[in-house]
Amino acid sequence: MSVTWRHLPTPAREIAAAATEAVEAARARDTGAYDLSTARLATAERSGLVLGSVVRLLLEEIHPDGLDSDDVRKVLEHCVRAAAQWWPDVDPHVVLVLLAGALGVYDPGEDDAPPDAVALARHAPLLVADLLSVTGRPVEGYLGAAFAEIERTERHD
């Protein structure tokens, strides 16, 4: 993925910079840097849309034939177990909501309030970092592709 995001408007660059820092902090297991960068993500409008797109792009690349329930369970378990080793605040339910949202199948029931934006911002980089461990590629290309996809979608709507 060679698409970049550095030419984008300031709000988009802020999301990309914070997301990159958060993913790198997760990969390095640096709780201080992770907390700072995810706090920035939580205040950035539309960061959830961007990170959800990145997760979907990664899932599509890793599972080109699609995912079944066992695949989703494996992704969830691997992410939560890896994150729990250094970030004890990881919540499996939030990671599951992120996965379901990225796949377009999240539908909260009447009694199930979705996690708030802060919880999503604090967990999305964990999922992205875990999926990147499979591809071995940097997050920047996926962010650029996510922004391009979002822009394309918005132009057609």
Side-chain angles (χ1 to χ4, degrees):
M1 303 229 159
S2 61
V3 181
T4 184
W5 50 263
R6 298 191 187 279
H7 67 286
L8 296 171
T10 302
R13 284 196 316 267
E14 173 60 24
I15 292 169
T20 299
E21 289 171 13
V23 168
E24 292 308 315
R27 290 175 120 177
R29 298 177 174 208
D30 182 340
T31 56
Y34 189 77
D35 289 342
L36 288 173
S37 56
T38 57
R40 283 178 47 209
L41 270 178
T43 63
E45 187 177 331
R46 303 188 75 187
S47 64
L49 175 63
V50 173
L51 288 169
S53 296
V54 169
V55 168
R56 190 185 49 70
L57 289 167
L58 284 161
L59 290 170
E60 287 175 353
E61 181 178 333
I62 295 166
H63 299 277
D65 296 328
L67 285 91
D68 61 22
S69 60
D70 286 338
D71 294 325
V72 172
R73 181 185 50 76
K74 287 175 186 173
V75 169
L76 174 65
E77 286 179 358
H78 191 271
C79 176
V80 170
R81 285 187 176 139
Q85 293 176 11
W86 66 275
W87 198 64
D89 294 334
V90 65
D91 182 341
H93 176 72
V94 177
V95 177
L96 179 60
V97 168
L98 288 165
L99 276 169
L103 296 170
V105 297
Y106 180 64
D107 184 21
E110 288 181 29
D111 298 328
D112 182 28
D116 64 21
V118 173
L120 294 172
R122 291 178 54 87
H123 285 75
L126 297 173
L127 183 54
V128 170
D130 194 62
L131 293 169
L132 286 171
S133 71
V134 176
T135 68
R137 295 185 185 161
V139 71
E140 282 196 353
Y142 294 98
L143 283 165
F147 281 114
E149 185 176 284
I150 292 166
E151 180 182 24
R152 237 183 345 269
T153 301
E154 288 179 351
R155 282 187 180 172
H156 293 292
D157 285 347

